[in-house]
Amino acid sequence: MRPAARLDRWRRRCGFDRNDLRRYVDRAQWRLGLALLGIFLVAAPVLGAPVAGAVHESGVRAERHGASAWRRVDATVVRVADSRGRHRVTVAWTGPDGTRRTGVHTTGRDRAEGERVAVWVGAGDTVSAVPPRTRAETRFAAAAAGAGAVAAVGAPLLGAYLLARRRYDRIRRGMWDAAWARFDDHRIGP
């Protein structure tokens, strides 16, 4: 099919033709739909890109801070205390200067004494079982925030279109009822 024929088909499908069977309500609905689509195509990138960019920047800062403030160590569990499904675990490891150090952290996983675990140690021997933020987490968070912003732009526009469509359908039903009433008034025969 030629490109001009495809464009013409798209034009007619969107309601931009002189079809006598197409009512003003149909044309109004199509124009409203195209206007709302145009608003979405302009507003979504304008609002979504800055949100995704800000979340990505924040994530990169968190990555850099995590890389400088936390270091991974292999530690040994020396004591486990249970408290309502949470386990308070004391771990021991050897510091960079060769001294034995201990720290406490809370985890949801069941640990046994003597078990080897990977933990992240920060300033003042603060212990965390959660690793610092990775590049993949940053990218995912930025993509999710951008998608959320696009959805936040699109949802009200879609809602407005659906409300208008409901109204246009009500008008169309009224027009059909009036047309059938006019048709029913014609008597057949002498």
Side-chain angles (χ1 to χ4, degrees):
M1 183 180 291
R2 294 186 346 238
R6 284 186 188 145
L7 185 62
D8 189 50
R9 179 183 288 177
W10 182 82
R11 180 187 60 82
R12 282 183 280 122
R13 193 175 290 161
C14 289
F16 299 114
D17 61 353
R18 296 278 180 210
N19 187 342
D20 291 335
L21 297 177
R22 197 176 304 275
R23 296 166 289 213
Y24 77 92
V25 174
D26 301 329
R27 286 191 180 93
Q29 181 179 344
W30 273 107
R31 286 185 184 123
L32 176 69
L34 287 175
L36 292 175
L37 178 64
I39 292 170
F40 174 76
L41 291 176
V42 169
V46 167
L47 296 175
V51 168
V55 170
H56 186 267
E57 254 181 58
S58 173
V60 168
R61 280 194 306 272
E63 284 176 42
R64 289 182 184 140
H65 174 72
S68 66
W70 296 92
R71 63 183 169 80
R72 184 179 186 271
V73 296
D74 291 322
T76 305
V77 176
V78 292
R79 191 174 50 162
V80 178
D82 290 335
S83 170
R84 288 185 269 169
R86 303 295 289 171
H87 306 286
R88 193 165 169 83
V89 178
T90 304
V91 293
W93 70 94
T94 304
D97 57 357
T99 61
R100 182 174 166 83
R101 298 178 186 240
T102 61
V104 178
H105 72 91
T106 304
T107 180
R109 294 181 57 187
D110 189 19
R111 298 287 186 188
E113 291 183 14
E115 183 179 351
R116 298 286 291 171
V117 294
V119 294
W120 282 260
V121 179
D125 290 339
T126 308
V127 178
S128 174
V130 180
R133 187 175 202 141
T134 64
R135 181 56 52 112
E137 290 170 334
T138 298
R139 287 180 179 158
F140 178 77
V150 168
V153 168
L157 296 175
L158 179 62
Y161 177 76
L162 293 176
L163 286 174
R165 180 177 173 175
R166 186 175 175 189
R167 172 80 173 131
Y168 289 139
D169 286 345
R170 206 174 315 136
I171 292 170
R172 264 191 284 275
R173 279 194 299 274
M175 291 172 75
W176 271 103
D177 290 343
W180 277 110
R182 280 192 312 270
F183 181 74
D184 196 33
D185 284 345
H186 295 99
R187 294 188 333 142
I188 298 175

